[in-house]
Amino acid sequence: MAFALSAEHEKELERILSRYPNKMAACIPVLHLCQDANEHWVSDEVIAFVAERLGLSTAHVAGVVTFYHLFNREKPGKHQVWVCRTLSCALRGSESILRHCEKRLGVHVGGTTPDGKVTLRTSECLASCGSAPMMQVDKTYHENLTIEEVDRVLDDLLKDS
Amino acid sequence: MLKRTNYLSHSYDKPDGHTLAAYEQAGGYRSARKVLSTLSREQVVDEVKKAHIRGRGGAGFDCGMKWSFMPKESKKPHYLVVNADEGEPGTFKDRTIMERNPHALIEGCIIGCYGVGAHAAYIYVRDELHLSKARLWAAIEEARAKGYLGKNPFGKNYEVEVYVHTGAGAYICGEETALLNSLEGRRGEPRLKPPFPAQVGAFGCPTTVNNVETIAIVPSIFQVGGDEFSKLSALHEWNDGGVRLFGVSGHVKKPGIYECAVGLTLRELIYDLGGGIIDDRPLLGVIPGGSSCPVHLPDEIVDVPNDPRFAPYNGKSVLDLPMGVDTLRGVGGMLGTCCAIVMSDAADPVLALHNLMRFYRHESCGQCTPCREGCGWIERILDKVIEGRGSIEELNELHEIASNITGNTICAFGDGAAQPALSFVRKYRKQLEDYILRGGQSQTRTLEA
């Protein structure tokens, strides 16, 4: 099924285009807009849509999508959790946080809970080294984590219907 | 020399510190008003040169000098691009500016645009920093509503627009030419230099790329005066001026961001500002400014007999050397972003190196063979060492691979990946050999304190 944006998102697309001297520059922001409107993933239909709207080849858009980690080529869970595991976080216990998330959610890193609610991922440095360990849940940072805090955050996600 | 300052961080403790009202109450936008109403473009660049602001993103290039590379006359538009793709492991300072003092960056963009002859600034923020983006957009709207941005900022006929652009999760986009490709809507692969961005940058036009902190500190230069601002630093004589944000993370009691005059020592950063090491354990090592810098051991001694400027420091611990771009370079180190990662003796340096090399393997863009293959190769050797299948020959091989990445890639990522490998193998050789000789067993085998 062809992908389309809502009228409100179309307006946002126009706003994005107005910021740049050419349409190609809007590629990444427009892909974000479409991914957010498409249950957090970039399907072939989204690629075709972006290519058509920005006057680019689908090969160019696909090349961009596959270069950047934050564009999903498969549909993730309703919520995405990234546990930072780079050195500063690792020195403050990110490994224990990650193991606990795996146990609590019953999935390995990269997996999605069977009810489709939460996808667990690791992340490289998220610029939160002074408040390590930390994790990102959707668009929010949770910092200075303890196991209790992780439980509280994950419980909220799993309860969300 | 520990001298706390608050040019950038004055708003950090105020709940409304990110708003225009709070910023103006603290004297904000007076510098931009003064610059646009009274100074020429050349005068702006000269004043910034006098302040000796060394680039805060890690390379330490003089900011005023960089601005002076922009063409005087040009038929093409000029651009100012702010690098807010903060992602160097250990570095978390730019985020504090964008979240808690965004107007300093917007005011810096106005002055910066004027200084480099640009009418548009793009702030390239990594996508994960959602609060930073929201705060910047809000600041832009507030500034525009006041007439500080737009066709006639402060009544001057010099249009300035500021936009926030987002990445999508790629450390390499912090490299300035990869960032420009990403801004143009391409894969974030670095470009060959020359041409440098000042000739051919964003959209094929002359472009200056500066770090967030570099631009955000610019208004302070015009508050204090270039010379005076430079002299705040203990390294003024080294052309390394002003104040900067120092970060400390890892095994310290009080990790965080602290604003100080340039010239703070690592010892002051770790023990005074950072509150000392967790459980008062001994220091194993410190990486001074992001993971791409070589690690330093506490018993390293400064020994630079050929440079008279080092005379006061020769024979002292490297922890007592003022942190500057050229001081650390002189002892074979690198200041980088000035955000230190501290490891106590509870940390296993082999696991620390493995952690970092996994990062570089993951983030290599794959364009150049030595980096793409080398980073993965080094990680695989470390996998084997940790699992007890490594050999001394492979340890030597690891060193050789890292040496062969250095200088053989399009961008500095390769060097940045090789530095930790080379310095860890040189400085923690015994711990690495112990792993191999004991078949993967080590006494610590943990990173947590």
Side-chain angles (χ1 to χ4, degrees), chain A residues 24 51 58 76 109 115 119 130 136 141-142 151 153-154 161:
Chain A
M24 191 202 276
T58 50
V109 171
D115 58 4
T119 297
Q136 183 185 348
Y141 275 19
H142 296 270
D151 276 338
V153 172
L154 294 184
S161 52

Side-chain angles (χ1 to χ4, degrees), chain A residues 19-20 24-25 28 32 60 63 67-70 85 87-88 90-93 96 124-125 127-130 141 143, chain B residues 90 92 95 122 126-127 129 163 165-169 182-188 249-252 355 358 448:
Chain A
R19 296 171 196 154
Y20 304 101
M24 191 202 276
I28 292 172
H32 278 302
H60 178 93
F67 184 85
Y68 297 94
H69 301 305
L70 291 176
R85 59 171 182 172
L87 188 55
S88 291
L91 291 169
R92 305 211 44 127
S96 314
E124 296 298 348
C125 191
S128 185
C129 316
Y141 275 19
E143 303 175 296
Chain B
F92 53 106
R95 212 186 118 207
Y122 291 99
R126 63 182 294 185
D127 183 57
L129 299 181
Y163 305 104
H165 181 87
T166 55
S182 186
L183 172 64
E184 291 180 10
R186 304 171 198 273
R187 293 162 69 88
S249 68
H251 291 161
V252 289
N355 184 294
R358 184 197 61 213
E448 297 177 29

Side-chain angles (χ1 to χ4, degrees), chain B residues 44-358:
Chain B
V44 171
V45 175
D46 283 344
E47 203 63 23
V48 174
K49 272 188 185 165
K50 283 184 202 156
H52 299 303
I53 298 298
R54 308 292 288 266
R56 304 312 198 211
F61 196 81
D62 187 275
C63 174
M65 183 79 78
K66 191 184 258 189
W67 287 11
S68 73
F69 293 159
M70 290 292 275
K72 300 280 168 290
E73 300 285 330
S74 171
K75 290 200 179 79
K76 291 179 173 177
H78 292 192
Y79 293 105
L80 174 69
V81 173
V82 179
N83 186 342
D85 193 49
E86 183 164 62
E88 172 82 6
T91 307
F92 53 106
K93 63 185 181 66
D94 295 338
R95 212 186 118 207
T96 63
I97 297 172
M98 295 187 283
E99 290 180 2
R100 294 186 257 171
N101 196 3
H103 280 286
L105 181 56
I106 305 302
E107 187 180 6
C109 284
I110 298 171
I111 301 172
C113 276
Y114 188 63
V116 303
H119 294 285
Y122 291 99
I123 306 174
Y124 184 104
V125 186
R126 63 182 294 185
D127 183 57
E128 294 92 328
L129 299 181
H130 295 283
L131 181 58
S132 294
K133 286 184 287 180
R135 289 269 162 93
L136 286 172
W137 275 124
I140 289 168
E141 288 312 315
E142 279 185 310
R144 191 194 310 279
K146 278 267 193 171
Y148 301 165
L149 292 172
K151 295 267 182 227
N152 304 97
F154 306 102
K156 171 99 176 177
N157 183 22
Y158 189 91
E159 183 178 7
V160 176
E161 295 291 349
V162 180
Y163 305 104
V164 177
H165 181 87
T166 55
Y171 166 76
I172 190 59
C173 290
E175 198 280 338
E176 64 175 3
T177 60
L179 187 152
L180 293 173
N181 272 340
S182 186
L183 172 64
E184 291 180 10
R186 304 171 198 273
R187 293 162 69 88
E189 286 165 347
R191 302 172 180 173
L192 272 171
K193 293 193 270 193
F196 290 92
Q199 276 77 48
V200 183
F203 312 110
C205 300
T207 301
T208 296
V209 186
N210 281 132
N211 170 260
V212 168
E213 188 189 343
T214 309
I215 291 294
I217 200 68
V218 164
S220 301
I221 298 172
F222 291 90
Q223 264 171 32
V224 181
D227 263 333
E228 289 308 305
F229 192 73
S230 178
K231 284 177 188 157
L232 294 170
S233 156
L235 296 174
H236 166 67
E237 301 292 327
W238 297 62
N239 294 337
D240 195 343
V243 303
R244 60 190 297 166
L245 298 178
F246 291 79
V248 58
S249 68
H251 291 161
V252 289
K253 292 176 189 170
K254 293 192 292 177
I257 295 290
Y258 303 94
E259 187 191 315
C260 293
V262 171
L264 188 78
T265 66
L266 274 167
R267 192 182 303 283
E268 288 162 338
L269 180 59
I270 298 168
Y271 292 94
D272 295 333
L273 298 173
I277 294 180
I278 294 174
D279 296 333
D280 296 315
R281 299 184 72 119
L283 176 66
L284 174 78
V286 54
I287 306 175
S291 63
S292 300
C293 305
V295 63
H296 292 290
L297 306 190
D299 59 0
E300 263 175 59
I301 301 295
V302 179
D303 179 25
V304 192
N306 301 330
D307 188 337
R309 295 180 301 176
F310 278 93
Y313 312 115
N314 280 330
K316 287 187 181 171
S317 164
V318 74
L319 297 184
D320 295 312
L321 181 69
M323 294 170 76
V325 176
D326 297 319
T327 50
L328 277 165
R329 194 174 284 160
V331 297
M334 196 172 129
L335 178 65
T337 59
C338 226
C339 287
I341 306 174
V342 177
M343 296 183 287
S344 80
D345 71 342
D348 184 330
V350 180
L351 297 183
L353 176 59
H354 183 256
N355 184 294
L356 291 178
M357 293 320 297
R358 184 197 61 213

Side-chain angles (χ1 to χ4, degrees), chain A residues 97-132:
Chain A
I97 299 287
L98 184 60
R99 295 285 90 82
H100 184 76
C101 287
E102 287 188 320
K103 209 170 94 190
R104 186 73 188 67
L105 296 171
V107 295
H108 288 297
V109 171
T112 301
T113 53
D115 58 4
K117 277 188 184 159
V118 183
T119 297
L120 177 65
R121 294 205 169 102
T122 55
S123 159
E124 296 298 348
C125 191
L126 287 171
S128 185
C129 316
S131 31

